[in-house]
Amino acid sequence: MYKKSVFSLLIVLFSLVAVVSITWADGIKERMKQRLPRIIQMKQQGIIGENDRGYLEYVSGNQPNQEIVEAENSDRQKVYEMIAKQQGVPIQKVEQLRAAQIVRKAIEGEMLKRSDGSWYKK
């Protein structure tokens, strides 16, 4: 089971590299790069966190900068869709693998959402 998960993750990572050229042409990479400082700041403030599908989500009712979160999630979805299409897998599989990668890379203090809907601080 572990080897299968690692293999699946590697497929997604290699696909992500292949998709970079596509996302570069669409401007996705540049837009994501421009939003990153604000996203990091909002994560550090505990306003947003990462959900169990690989998308940003508000932790509470306080929802500033909605346009940033919505744009980021839209671009992430486009990338996930490209990877899913390229690999011939459902987008849900790509989201799940990306979410697991995000959890591993999350910085201490960042908010993460479990599949049961509960939030926890890494």
Side-chain angles (χ1 to χ4, degrees):
M1 180 69 175
Y2 176 75
K3 287 183 181 181
K4 188 175 183 180
S5 295
V6 171
F7 180 72
S8 295
L9 183 58
L10 287 174
I11 288 172
V12 170
L13 292 176
F14 286 126
S15 297
L16 190 57
V17 170
V19 171
V20 166
S21 62
I22 296 168
T23 59
W24 190 257
D26 285 347
I28 292 173
K29 183 178 180 179
E30 188 59 35
R31 290 192 305 267
M32 292 175 95
K33 185 177 174 181
Q34 289 174 353
R35 287 189 294 265
L36 189 58
R38 186 63 184 128
I39 289 170
I40 290 170
Q41 183 182 36
M42 291 170 66
K43 283 182 176 183
Q44 290 172 343
Q45 294 170 336
I47 296 169
I48 59 172
E50 297 281 353
N51 70 23
D52 65 321
R53 291 181 45 231
Y55 297 98
L56 296 174
E57 194 171 318
Y58 286 96
V59 176
S60 68
N62 183 18
Q63 299 185 359
N65 301 299
Q66 288 182 3
E67 67 284 353
I68 291 173
V69 173
E70 290 170 5
E72 179 68 16
N73 285 339
S74 176
D75 282 344
R76 287 184 185 190
Q77 183 176 12
K78 289 173 189 170
V79 172
Y80 299 165
E81 286 171 350
M82 286 185 265
I83 294 169
K85 183 177 179 181
Q86 182 183 43
Q87 293 302 312
V89 298
I91 188 171
Q92 293 83 2
K93 183 67 174 173
V94 176
E95 291 170 339
Q96 178 186 30
L97 291 170
R98 178 62 180 137
Q101 183 183 42
I102 289 169
V103 168
R104 284 192 299 279
K105 290 184 172 189
I107 297 170
E108 187 175 330
E110 287 186 351
M111 297 300 291
L112 302 165
K113 191 172 189 179
R114 295 183 182 97
S115 60
D116 68 4
S118 63
W119 287 97
Y120 70 99
K121 193 178 283 191
K122 182 164 182 180

